[in-house]
């Protein structure tokens, strides 16, 4: 069932992104007077197709890993004399630039809409209050301590740990000072300066928060089981709803988040002796947590949850905007994420960030499924981030991508004539080789993560 859900979430996400991207090309092409022969979502044999009144064939194909808009073009096939004015290659270079640029721009517009919806719907998050700080860590040396709430990093507001993580990602591989603004309760905010030196340079799948020596503060939650998943390790071991976990391997435990969960996650496929209180009696059960991948590492899980509990009211942050106020929020968020994507790409090329962080279709599928399970806000965020990545990728000046075609057409605009067919052909061959190589490397990274 999980595999089916993940597959469905992936198809929905990729299908939406590809459709919006190709529709950008399609919409502008129509308005520039270019005849569109085919609008295809996916590659390979057609699963379903139909024609509109303009003669355009719309196709849903069997391989949902992309799509294309095929336009009337003399370079691809003979064009009847009566339709020459509708051929793409016959259009003014400015119109061709507009048609090519429309696809990536549509992806950025989709991201803006997604971030706008998130802002209007609102999110409820836990305040980023620091838990125990690792001794002699970067954070400890700067004076950060348990109980402080992080308000800003490098002048950017951080209402959640997610926002903190994004700000820290910006500094990967760098040397310099990281400015943190934090406060204790309702006290006066204080500045803390953290010293970075080649911070996490070249590290595979870095964890920025942990690398600074920080943890998130969590309230003590009694390990009273409330839900047991059918077929999970907990059910197989004989655990029941209402059991109170009191020990693991002879060590007393009283906190679900701080003691039980870390012990289970740290013991994938390893047998544990768990002591539980049931009906006033102590029972000892042997349980072997199942293994699964989480954030690039293998962790244990047992398929059990605790009775519902409420976070302290002072730790809850509700963030929402009215529809008008949400517009600039969405624009700024899209701009920031685009800049972060470009900066990360630059750091990957220069070696400041490990190329092993490059992800392919397997990782995309896993994140799509996980974000869909987490709720509407998480899935919308995933679509926005992926749409920005697709937009940036397609604008790279690599032949076969939209950005490569834009380079050709802008050069033609400046020179007053197009580049020779031979030069364009060489560029396409080089671009195709480069893209295939990057895709294979990304898939290799995916498979390596599965192997680990």
């Amino acid at each position: 069932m999980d595999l089916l859900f993940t597959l469905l979430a992936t198809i929905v996400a990729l299908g939406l992104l590809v459709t919006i991207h190709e529709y950008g090309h399609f919409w502008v092409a129509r308005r520039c007077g270019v005849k569109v022969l085919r609008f295809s979502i996916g590659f390979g044999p057609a699963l379903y197709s139909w024609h509109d009144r303009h003669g355009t064939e719309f196709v849903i194909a069997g391989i949902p890993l992309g799509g294309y808009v095929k336009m009337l073009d003399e370079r691809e096939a003979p064009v009847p004399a009566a339709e020459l004015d509708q051929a793409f290659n016959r259009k003014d270079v400015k119109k061709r630039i507009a048609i090519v640029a429309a696809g990536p721009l549509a992806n950025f517009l989709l991201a803006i809409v997604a971030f706008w919806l998130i802002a209007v719907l609102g999110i409820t998050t836990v305040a980023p209050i620091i838990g125990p700080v690792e001794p002699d860590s970067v954070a400890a040396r700067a004076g950060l301590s348990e109980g402080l709430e992080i308000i800003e990093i490098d002048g950017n507001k951080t209402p959640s740990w997610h926002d903190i993580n994004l700000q820290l990602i910006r500094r990967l591989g760098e040397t310099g000072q990281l400015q943190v603004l934090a406060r204790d309760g309702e006290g006066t905010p204080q500045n803390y300066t953290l010293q970075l030196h080649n911070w996490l340079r070249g590290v595979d799948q870095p964890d920025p928060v942990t690398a600074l020596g920080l943890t998130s503060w969590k309230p003590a939650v009694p390990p009273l089981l409330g839900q047991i998943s059918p077929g999970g390790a907990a059910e197989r071991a004989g655990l029941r709803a209402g059991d109170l976990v009191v020990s693991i391997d002879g060590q007393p435990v009283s906190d679900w988040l701080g003691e039980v969960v870390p012990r289970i996650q740290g013991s994938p496929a390893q047998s544990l002796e768990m002591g539980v209180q049931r009906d006033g009696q102590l029972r000892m059960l042997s349980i072997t947590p199942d293994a699964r991948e989480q954030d690039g590492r293998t962790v244990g899980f047992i398929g059990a949850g605790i009775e519902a509990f409420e976070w302290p009211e002072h730790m809850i942050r509700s963030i929402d905007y009215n529809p008008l106020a949400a517009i600039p929020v969405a624009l700024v968020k899209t701009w920031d994420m685009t800049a972060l994507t470009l900066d990360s790409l630059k750091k990957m090329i220069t070696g400041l960030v490990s190329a092993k962080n490059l992800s392919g279709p397997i990782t995309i599928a896993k994140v799509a499924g996980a974000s869909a399970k987490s709720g509407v806000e998480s899935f919308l965020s995933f679509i926005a981030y992926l749409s920005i990545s697709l937009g940036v990728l397609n604008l790279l000046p690599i032949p076969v991508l939209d950005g490569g075609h834009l380079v050709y057409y802008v050069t033609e605009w400046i020179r007053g004539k197009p580049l020779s067919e031979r030069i364009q052909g060489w560029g396409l061959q080089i671009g195709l080789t480069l893209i295939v190589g990057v895709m294979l490397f990304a898939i290799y990274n995916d498979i390596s993560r599965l192997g680990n």
Side-chain angles (χ1 to χ4, degrees):
M1 184 61 72
D2 280 350
L3 179 60
L4 183 62
F5 185 84
T6 297
L7 183 62
L8 181 61
T10 304
I11 292 174
V12 170
L14 291 181
L16 177 61
L17 263 61
V18 171
T19 300
I20 293 297
H21 178 93
E22 300 303 338
Y23 186 77
H25 293 309
F26 171 82
W27 190 84
V28 175
R30 278 273 179 92
R31 274 140 193 82
C32 289
V34 175
K35 182 175 182 179
V36 179
L37 302 177
R38 180 179 297 156
F39 183 113
S40 179
I41 303 301
F43 300 109
L47 300 178
Y48 183 68
S49 66
W50 69 98
H51 291 78
D52 69 359
R53 60 187 178 87
H54 299 284
T56 300
E57 180 187 19
F58 292 84
V59 176
I60 297 176
I63 305 175
L65 294 177
Y68 62 92
V69 171
K70 183 178 181 181
M71 291 170 263
L72 194 67
D73 195 317
E74 290 178 282
R75 297 169 299 179
E76 297 181 3
V79 176
E83 295 183 334
L84 284 175
D85 63 327
Q86 300 180 63
F88 175 81
N89 64 292
R90 290 288 183 111
K91 294 299 178 181
D92 176 79
V93 68
K94 295 177 185 178
K95 290 184 177 180
R96 282 179 275 145
I97 289 174
I99 293 169
V100 171
L105 291 178
N107 283 122
F108 293 118
L109 287 174
L110 174 60
I112 292 171
V113 171
F115 285 135
W116 179 84
L117 281 171
I118 293 170
V120 171
L121 294 173
I123 61 172
T124 300
T125 186
V126 177
I129 295 176
I130 299 173
V133 178
E134 182 181 343
D136 199 35
S137 62
V138 175
R141 290 194 293 270
L144 288 170
S145 59
E146 184 174 359
L148 293 176
E149 179 181 354
I150 300 175
I151 302 172
E152 294 181 1
I153 291 182
D154 287 339
N156 298 297
K157 295 186 182 301
T158 53
S160 69
W161 283 105
H162 174 73
D163 294 298
I164 288 174
N165 210 46
L166 287 178
Q167 294 303 322
L168 294 180
I169 288 174
R170 296 176 184 274
R171 303 300 302 273
L172 291 178
E174 295 184 9
T175 295
Q177 295 182 339
L178 179 74
Q179 300 297 332
V180 175
L181 184 66
R183 67 183 176 196
D184 187 359
E186 296 300 321
T188 303
Q190 181 178 341
N191 280 302
Y192 297 84
T193 301
L194 283 66
Q195 301 293 335
L196 306 179
H197 180 70
N198 288 332
W199 188 55
L200 296 177
R201 179 170 183 166
V203 173
D204 299 346
Q205 300 177 32
D207 183 348
V209 173
T210 302
L212 290 179
L214 296 175
T215 62
S216 60
W217 185 87
K218 300 179 179 69
V221 179
L224 181 63
L225 301 183
Q227 311 99 32
I228 305 296
S229 299
E235 185 184 64
R236 296 196 303 270
L239 287 171
R240 299 178 186 173
D243 286 348
L244 177 66
V245 181
V246 296
S247 68
I248 297 179
D249 283 347
Q251 297 295 320
V253 293
S254 58
D255 180 8
W256 175 260
L257 296 175
E259 297 174 324
V260 178
V261 170
R263 188 61 192 277
I264 292 172
Q265 289 187 337
S267 307
Q270 300 175 26
S271 179
L272 300 173
E273 289 297 318
M274 186 173 288
V276 299
Q277 287 280 358
R278 180 187 301 168
D279 299 328
Q281 295 183 341
L282 177 63
R283 296 172 181 264
M284 301 303 297
L285 301 174
S286 179
I287 183 169
T288 301
D290 295 323
R292 69 177 176 185
E293 188 177 348
Q294 178 178 299
D295 299 328
R297 61 193 183 96
T298 302
V299 300
F301 75 106
I302 62 173
I306 55 171
E307 290 281 359
F309 76 96
E310 294 185 1
W311 287 81
E313 188 174 341
H314 73 278
M315 290 192 65
I316 302 300
R317 300 286 184 272
S318 295
I319 307 169
D320 58 48
Y321 301 85
N322 66 53
L324 197 58
I327 295 175
V329 172
L331 290 171
V332 170
K333 184 72 171 178
T334 302
W335 175 266
D336 287 346
M337 291 308 304
T338 301
L340 177 60
T341 301
L342 287 169
D343 186 55
S344 298
L345 183 61
K346 182 188 74 173
K347 288 181 177 180
M348 196 172 292
I349 293 173
T350 57
L352 294 179
V353 174
S354 173
K356 290 186 178 180
N357 291 296
L358 191 66
S359 297
I362 298 175
T363 298
I364 290 173
K366 291 173 65 178
V367 177
S371 63
K373 288 179 182 177
S374 297
V376 174
E377 186 266 334
S378 292
F379 193 56
L380 284 174
S381 293
F382 168 72
I383 287 175
Y385 296 149
L386 192 58
S387 192
I388 288 171
S389 297
L390 183 61
V392 170
L393 173 66
N394 272 281
L395 284 176
L396 294 178
I398 300 174
V400 311
L401 297 179
D402 292 332
H405 291 297
L406 286 175
V407 170
Y408 286 159
Y409 297 144
V410 170
T411 303
E412 178 183 343
W413 188 11
I414 295 172
R415 296 175 73 233
K417 60 180 181 180
L419 294 171
S420 69
E421 291 290 337
R422 185 174 64 173
I423 292 177
Q424 292 190 45
W426 285 348
L428 289 174
Q429 290 179 8
I430 294 171
L432 183 60
T433 301
L434 181 61
I435 292 300
V436 170
V438 171
M439 288 180 61
L440 290 175
F441 183 70
I443 293 172
Y444 169 78
N445 285 344
D446 285 352
I447 295 173
S448 296
R449 294 187 190 109
L450 290 176
N452 292 332

